[in-house]
Amino acid sequence: MSAFDGLPGDWELVVGLEVHVELATVTKLFSASPNRFGDEPNTNIDPVTLGLPGALPVLNRQAVELAMRIGLALNCTVQPCTFHRKNYFYPDMPKAYQISQYDQPLNVDGFLALPDGTRIGIERAHMEEDTGKSTHFGGAGGRIHGSDYSLIDFNRAGVPLVEIVSRPDIRSAEQARQYVTELRAILLAVGASDAKMEEGSMRVDANVSVHKPGTEFGTRCEIKNVNSVRSIGRAIEYEARRQIDLLEGGDKVRQETRHWDEGDGRTHTLRSKEDADDYRYFLEPDLVPVAPSAEWIAEVRAALPMLPAARRARLAEAAGVAADSEAAMVVVDRGQDDYVLAVGDAGGDIGRALVHVKEAWADSPSVPAADLAKLTTMEVAGKLTATQAKTVVAELIDNDGGDAEAIAKAKGFEAMAADSLGPLVDQAIAENGDAWAKFCAGEGKAMGALVGAVMKLSQGKADGKAVTALLNSRRA
Amino acid sequence: MSERISVEIVTKVARLARLDLTPEEIDRTTAQLSGMLEHFADIDALQLDDVEPMAQPYPLDNVFRDDVIVDGLDRDEVLAAAPAAEDGRFRVPPIIGLDV
Amino acid sequence: MSDALEIAAAVRAGSLKAADVVEQHLAAIDGREPEIHAFNLVMVEQARERAAAIDAMVAAGNDPGPLAGVPVALKDNMCTRGVPTTCSSKILDGWKPPYDATIVTKLADAGAVVIGKTNLDEFAMGSSTENSAFGPTRNPHDTSRVPGGSSGGSAAAVAAGFASIGLGSDTGGSIRQPAALCGVVGVKPTYGYVSRYGLIAFASSLDQIGPLTNTVADSALMLDVIGGHDPMDSTSIPVAHPSLLDAIGEGVEGMRVGRITDLPEGADPDVLERTELAFDALRDAGAKIVDVEVPAFTFGLTAYYLIAPAEASSNLARYDGVRYGLRVEAPDTNAMYGVTRAAGFGDEVKRRVMLGTYALSAGYYDAYYGKALKVRRLIHDEFERAYQHADVLLTPASPSVAFPFGAKGDNPLAMYLCDVYTIPANLSGHPGMSVPFGTGADGLPVGVQVLAGTLCEPQMFRAAAALERAAR
């Protein structure tokens, strides 16, 4: 598989993504303070959140449930698991350790299928707690560098996270974008998170390396601060080229963490992995293992809704389009697919319904399915031209529904029957001799003038396709 | 006395633990830890290959809490006990030289 | 009147005023506290207010609870809302918790009167209370000697009559050893018996709260009040415990009392002699003495001094000057951590944090912490086997009677050896208690230790009660 356009030589890109997702629970992971975004600073706090002396964590059952939904939706195995302490100092870390999962995570060995069917392996999806938030003052642009002081808000501390770690199976920036987009759609579908990158409830870090096919994977760098799907692509592409330049210049890629700067479109060194803290992981003594029963896992699995990939496949088959076609992807993403299928159930044509729905509505269609169904039936029966159908749809929307036949009649729309077209076509040929001569000589462009003439003669009631067919047969 | 731990390692450990020790304290700690580790080598005599580690004394699992809000702490009371606070938040000096 | 059972019964019956009980104990404090220094804080006004409230309840015909009017001294590592809780450390000097420990709430609901916060070795690390940042506590039996540690303040408070009951915490012997040195009863229950919510953590998988009392019955009463499942502590045992007070009168006829034949040496002759007499006493009361082996017992010290500091190094990382406690100013946060913690922690705490950090660090985990966890399993399993042949085990509680200040010199290991008999029960999670059994050298108290299996407190208390009767 080749990389995106522009990657020089035969260099191959290798990307793994680590996505942190905030779970949509009411309370935090280990304490009963609200899990809410946007509240006044330090108003969702308790002894556990602040890491006060003597405080102890107690696990939120709903967080485990949502984490299991994510794991099952990503085709993981759900297994008995434990929590570990990851020890390091940072002011937004109230205990100076983060409770996370280490060698026994909840979900392992799954995959996420991209729209074209390519599977990206999921190594694990484990639970951990979020940190507080620090804001920096005195430096340029609110950055740490050159700041005079920082202020810490612990509202976010203790919010439940699931960290989803992919295998390094991604081979292009476009695949990375698709992975994140699809992952987000899955998270929304199962109700595990609102996954808003702009609010920080979904955060993506990319591990990027390059190599030549047939050789070992190269040294990888971790890229942080990527805050939108578009940035993911830009950052990966920049980083790949940066590494290739280094390697082609005879230098080595240093294993490190880099910070993506959206403003200047580059990554910058944040810290070298070699200086990294020793996290001294050990089993969290204040918590006990979690062993979800087979019944609980089965319940969660059974309650999973149809996932986006399955929805696209279902819609695609019914509408006769490809599952990764733009129409199928857009309509499923907007949640309009059930409606399109309902139009089919009401006797309408699903293919036509798909086209109309995609064009007419950004979200919930406002017209009863049966009404749209009638319209599509008229279309495929040849009673309406495509243009006429669009006009009828517009009227249906204006009135939140209606009788397509009545509307068409009121507007005087009737597609002409093909056999009554013949005389009009002959008349147009007779009246447009030059165009006809050119058309017969093989100039396809002359067709347009002839079709236009027929449309005029028919007062717009001729179906363009039928006219074209007739002209072709006259010429033959 | 054998040196079971070196000054270099003790210096590194002190940094990891964020304890500013004086050179004299580093030396003294090195000697004391060395003595302790010498004593603790007694467990090397035990055959432990087939023994499972025991991190928690009483075997429990699946201890959970319902996802229901319980009133927390009053921000004013908490910030009044803070070494430095401003604008409803905890204030700290510049955060540099720390891993994220 | 000093026994909690008697006080509570009389206060509930209205024949004794809680206010009078408090004044009696405050007078004792006035008398000897300046020389003993059992307390970091005597809560004079709060105790008087509380006692008055208890008396008002009784007068109104309501029952204040099973600890009605009983003055209780709390080790200063238990969070009391609005009342300074320091762990005898400069890093928490003056810190007032915004919440109560679960046991504090239970004490209040039972009608107890908290009379003060007692001194301890800093962050509960020590066996003599000499590691307190606020000065040592002195043994009421001989003020040139230590009361033991780390719950030295609570032990001394009970021994000196400053409180009827003390609460302490025991991680490697920190209730049982000071109890032995001060001549009082001290109990570490089964791990998970008493909630740890609000107990400032030293080593999370080893810490337990327990009582120090004048009588075995008072300890049973206190455990009945503070024991039980707590939803705020994930490690608390989710079963209802039978009343210990009901169990202790049952005697030891037919009980199998185990003597550990391979117990580590090092106990002084006077302690060994008293322990032998304790075996005799139980035999005379109808118990059967059996020999058991716990070969790994002697490795408990090493396992403990790798596990406990490791957990402590993590538990004490939160003292970083950001949210509470001491902060020493510095140009940046990283520097602030280093100077704050250097200024705020004493030598023993720093030593254990260093040892623990090292034992967990990359490349050393398997050799130290990892190995220690296996030794722990070995000790636990050997105890379990022993308890198939014995109902309780009997050992000395401390290798010696109370020793003079400074006796352990500069060698931390010498101090660590004080806990050689108490440590294994913390590692295994089994309960243990120290019962005063006569005096040893220089007329100083000797305590013997009764050990039992998981949740076998009833047997343990029965044996202890029999020893108490014999010692009288």
Side-chain angles (χ1 to χ4, degrees):
Chain A
M1 159 119 208
S2 66
F4 50 85
D5 285 351
L7 203 55
D10 57 350
W11 286 103
E12 184 170 83
L13 176 65
V14 174
V15 174
L17 293 177
E18 285 170 19
V19 179
H20 286 83
V21 167
E22 288 183 5
L23 296 181
T25 53
V26 174
T27 62
K28 298 188 176 187
L29 185 55
F30 297 119
S31 69
S33 282
N35 171 12
R36 268 199 305 253
F37 178 81
D39 285 353
E40 278 297 298
N42 291 306
T43 50
N44 296 330
I45 56 174
D46 58 76
V48 175
T49 295
L50 291 179
L52 294 188
L56 293 173
V58 184
L59 181 59
N60 181 342
R61 186 190 295 101
Q62 181 65 2
V64 179
E65 167 106 10
L66 295 183
M68 288 203 311
R69 282 192 207 170
I70 293 176
L72 292 171
L74 294 175
N75 307 288
C76 293
T77 303
V78 175
Q79 58 176 21
C81 60
T82 54
F83 289 93
H84 275 68
R85 292 191 186 179
K86 179 180 180 184
N87 296 282
Y88 66 96
F89 285 85
Y90 203 84
D92 65 14
M93 284 268 303
K95 299 184 294 301
Y97 58 85
Q98 178 195 36
I99 301 178
S100 178
Q101 296 193 300
Y102 184 54
D103 57 358
Q104 292 169 307
L106 179 65
N107 302 302
V108 291
D109 292 338
F111 65 87
L112 180 150
L114 301 180
D116 70 356
T118 307
R119 285 188 179 189
I120 307 298
I122 305 277
E123 192 179 296
R124 53 192 280 151
H126 69 256
M127 303 177 64
E128 61 185 30
E129 54 178 348
D130 209 345
T131 65
K133 243 179 166 175
S134 26
T135 320
H136 315 296
F137 294 84
R143 302 264 280 283
I144 285 185
H145 196 72
S147 66
D148 292 331
Y149 64 96
S150 300
L151 298 181
I152 322 275
D153 171 18
F154 289 99
N155 280 353
R156 198 183 68 180
V159 162
L161 297 178
V162 168
E163 179 178 343
I164 302 161
V165 181
S166 85
R167 297 195 194 280
D169 294 344
I170 292 168
R171 293 287 172 273
S172 70
E174 178 54 27
Q175 281 191 332
R177 282 191 290 259
Q178 287 178 12
Y179 175 93
V180 174
T181 304
E182 185 71 2
L183 179 59
R184 177 157 197 275
I186 290 172
L187 294 168
L188 288 168
V190 303
S193 173
D194 65 9
K196 293 184 185 172
M197 286 185 80
E198 67 279 13
E199 276 181 13
S201 54
M202 183 163 95
R203 300 164 224 163
V204 179
D205 298 328
N207 287 302
V208 179
S209 70
V210 295
H211 75 137
K212 304 246 178 172
T215 67
E216 273 184 13
F217 282 175
T219 305
R220 67 170 197 263
C221 291
E222 185 185 16
I223 314 297
K224 287 180 117 58
N225 196 45
V226 182
N227 295 327
S228 68
V229 174
R230 187 168 156 271
S231 298
I232 289 167
R234 293 185 64 211
I236 288 173
E237 288 178 359
Y238 170 84
E239 180 59 21
R241 288 200 173 87
R242 184 191 75 87
Q243 292 188 13
I244 288 168
D245 284 345
L246 272 175
L247 292 167
E248 286 189 340
D251 281 322
K252 286 196 173 136
V253 173
R254 208 169 50 150
Q255 186 183 26
E256 58 184 351
T257 298
R258 297 178 70 86
H259 175 102
W260 167 250
D261 187 326
E262 183 68 32
D264 72 5
R266 292 147 53 114
T267 60
H268 304 269
T269 302
L270 196 58
R271 69 177 182 280
S272 166
K273 279 277 188 198
E274 289 128 28
D275 294 342
D277 246 342
D278 172 3
Y279 295 123
R280 290 153 283 142
Y281 284 99
F282 69 103
L283 190 86
E284 169 58 81
D286 291 329
L287 291 171
V288 299
V290 174
S293 66
E295 288 78 23
W296 190 12
I297 297 174
E299 259 174 43
V300 176
R301 194 194 300 274
L304 285 181
M306 186 175 275
L307 296 179
R311 291 185 162 273
R312 290 192 300 262
R314 178 179 67 167
L315 179 64
E317 189 178 305
V321 300
D324 60 350
S325 66
E326 199 201 331
M329 292 194 51
V330 167
V331 163
V332 165
D333 192 51
R334 291 179 191 159
Q336 298 166 327
D337 51 313
D338 283 334
Y339 175 86
V340 170
L341 295 172
V343 171
D345 290 341
D349 180 82
I350 295 180
R352 293 305 306 157
L354 180 61
V355 172
H356 287 305
V357 167
K358 177 172 174 292
E359 270 184 35
W361 290 288
D363 42 60
S364 286
S366 47
V367 167
D371 295 354
L372 191 65
K374 203 174 203 186
L375 170 72
T376 62
T377 310
M378 289 175 71
E379 279 185 272
V380 298
K383 292 184 187 166
L384 286 173
T385 67
T387 320
Q388 290 168 339
K390 262 188 176 169
T391 312
V392 174
V393 168
E395 181 118 347
L396 287 173
I397 292 174
D398 283 343
N399 300 312
D400 289 335
D403 182 344
E405 273 181 14
I407 295 170
K409 199 168 180 188
K411 292 195 182 293
F413 287 164
E414 287 138 10
M416 265 190 153
D419 45 4
S420 46
L421 272 179
L424 288 180
V425 170
D426 294 333
Q427 185 179 346
I429 290 173
E431 291 174 0
N432 294 274
D434 281 344
W436 175 245
K438 283 182 181 157
F439 180 64
C440 289
E443 271 189 48
K445 286 188 294 186
M447 160 93 78
L450 290 164
V451 172
V454 174
M455 293 307 253
K456 217 169 156 193
L457 287 171
S458 72
Q459 288 156 327
K461 293 181 187 171
D463 180 60
K465 284 204 192 101
V467 170
T468 309
L470 283 168
L471 284 169
N472 279 326
S473 71
R474 292 286 190 270
R475 178 173 67 170
Chain B
M1 171 172 50
S2 71
E3 209 192 61
R4 288 249 167 194
I5 190 170
S6 67
V7 163
E8 287 71 39
I9 290 180
V10 170
T11 304
K12 198 166 142 211
V13 169
R15 199 183 58 80
L16 205 50
R18 299 304 193 276
L19 288 172
D20 282 0
L21 299 184
T22 64
E24 190 264 338
E25 283 173 319
I26 297 259
D27 285 340
R28 188 157 32 96
T29 307
T30 304
Q32 285 170 341
L33 290 185
S34 211
M36 287 180 207
L37 293 170
E38 181 69 33
H39 183 101
F40 300 158
D42 61 352
I43 58 174
D44 291 344
L46 290 170
Q47 177 51 260
L48 296 171
D49 286 344
D50 295 328
V51 181
E52 280 300 304
M54 182 180 197
Q56 291 174 306
Y58 192 91
L60 290 171
D61 66 6
N62 294 333
V63 173
F64 299 120
R65 171 176 67 76
D66 291 338
D67 194 20
V68 172
I69 294 174
V70 172
D71 280 344
L73 294 174
D74 175 59
R75 176 170 81 180
D76 291 338
E77 188 179 352
V78 164
L79 289 179
E86 186 181 298
D87 206 21
R89 288 172 283 180
F90 297 83
R91 180 178 161 141
V92 294
I95 306 170
I96 53 175
L98 281 169
D99 289 344
V100 161
Chain C
M1 189 181 288
S2 58
D3 289 357
L5 263 176
E6 291 175 341
I7 293 172
V11 169
R12 277 163 127 177
S15 59
L16 179 63
K17 289 260 183 296
D20 291 340
V21 176
V22 162
E23 290 311 318
Q24 173 205 324
H25 286 80
L26 287 174
I29 292 170
D30 273 344
R32 289 195 74 197
E33 172 62 4
E35 78 176 305
I36 304 285
H37 184 227
F39 292 100
N40 286 341
L41 175 71
V42 181
M43 294 159 62
V44 180
E45 284 323 306
Q46 292 103 318
R48 284 179 172 148
E49 273 171 34
R50 183 94 179 103
I54 299 291
D55 288 331
M57 273 181 90
V58 172
N62 297 318
D63 181 6
L67 289 175
V70 174
V72 176
L74 292 182
K75 186 175 184 180
D76 202 18
N77 62 354
M78 298 175 198
C79 286
T80 41
R81 184 173 180 180
V83 176
T85 301
T86 69
C87 294
S88 288
S89 175
K90 287 191 267 194
I91 219 166
L92 280 180
D93 193 6
W95 178 64
K96 292 183 186 172
Y99 77 105
D100 277 325
T102 294
I103 55 100
V104 171
T105 306
K106 288 193 169 191
L107 287 176
D109 290 344
V113 177
V114 176
I115 201 161
K117 306 299 293 293
T118 58
N119 197 17
L120 59 149
D121 282 297
E122 188 181 357
F123 280 106
M125 300 184 193
S127 309
S128 66
T129 312
E130 290 173 290
N131 293 330
S132 166
F134 306 136
T137 296
R138 300 181 176 281
N139 193 316
H141 294 275
D142 178 345
T143 55
S144 72
R145 296 174 186 256
V146 304
S150 57
S151 311
S154 284
V158 173
F162 298 163
S164 172
I165 298 186
L167 278 187
S169 67
D170 190 311
T171 306
S174 288
I175 289 174
R176 291 162 286 157
Q177 185 256 16
L181 269 49
C182 289
V184 299
V185 177
V187 185
K188 180 201 85 72
T190 302
Y191 181 87
Y193 198 104
V194 177
S195 168
R196 289 184 300 117
Y197 185 74
L199 170 69
I200 297 179
F202 160 15
S204 315
S205 76
L206 299 164
D207 293 342
Q208 267 294 280
I209 291 176
L212 295 100
T213 57
N214 290 306
T215 66
V216 171
D218 281 354
S219 274
L221 170 66
M222 180 53 103
L223 274 179
D224 283 351
V225 169
I226 62 173
H229 178 246
D230 181 15
M232 299 296 282
D233 174 1
S234 300
T235 61
S236 85
I237 299 173
V239 305
H241 304 301
S243 164
L244 296 174
L245 207 47
D246 291 346
I248 58 177
E250 286 170 30
V252 296
E253 185 67 45
M255 183 181 274
R256 299 163 303 165
V257 175
R259 172 200 300 278
I260 302 173
T261 55
D262 45 8
L263 202 65
E265 291 175 355
D268 286 347
D270 54 341
V271 168
L272 290 172
E273 191 191 316
R274 296 310 302 171
T275 309
E276 269 317 301
L277 289 169
F279 276 110
D280 292 342
L282 289 175
R283 190 186 296 111
D284 292 344
K288 183 165 168 262
I289 313 302
V290 299
D291 280 349
V292 298
E293 278 176 8
V294 186
F297 192 107
T298 191
F299 297 102
L301 203 91
T302 293
Y304 173 82
Y305 277 102
L306 291 171
I307 294 171
E311 293 185 3
S313 71
S314 179
N315 285 328
L316 268 62
R318 68 190 62 200
Y319 304 105
D320 58 8
V322 173
R323 286 145 290 117
Y324 46 81
L326 178 73
R327 176 190 292 190
V328 176
E329 294 300 337
D332 63 74
T333 296
N334 199 29
M336 187 264 285
Y337 291 152
V339 296
T340 295
R341 290 160 64 78
F345 289 146
D347 285 345
E348 183 61 33
V349 170
K350 283 179 186 160
R351 198 158 27 239
R352 296 201 195 190
V353 167
M354 293 285 290
L355 177 56
T357 304
Y358 176 67
L360 287 174
S361 61
Y364 299 103
Y365 177 102
D366 289 331
Y368 293 117
Y369 182 72
K371 215 179 255 185
L373 291 184
K374 293 186 170 198
V375 175
R376 179 180 201 167
R377 166 79 61 193
L378 212 57
I379 291 173
H380 169 270
D381 291 353
E382 288 180 0
F383 268 126
E384 292 285 304
R385 273 197 289 280
Y387 288 126
Q388 286 167 2
H389 307 291
D391 300 303
V392 299
L393 307 176
L394 189 65
T395 74
S398 160
S400 75
V401 297
F403 46 89
F405 289 101
K408 301 304 177 188
D410 281 337
N411 183 4
L413 263 174
M415 188 67 82
Y416 296 169
L417 286 165
C418 292
D419 295 327
V420 64
Y421 300 122
T422 48
I423 274 173
N426 298 89
L427 290 169
S428 66
H430 294 135
M433 67 191 284
S434 178
V435 183
F437 203 75
T439 56
D442 300 314
L444 291 162
V446 172
V448 292
Q449 176 178 237
V450 183
L451 300 171
T454 301
L455 293 178
C456 291
E457 275 82 347
Q459 282 96 301
M460 186 175 74
F461 269 81
R462 277 166 52 204
L467 286 168
E468 183 180 56
R469 282 189 292 272
R472 287 219 170 111

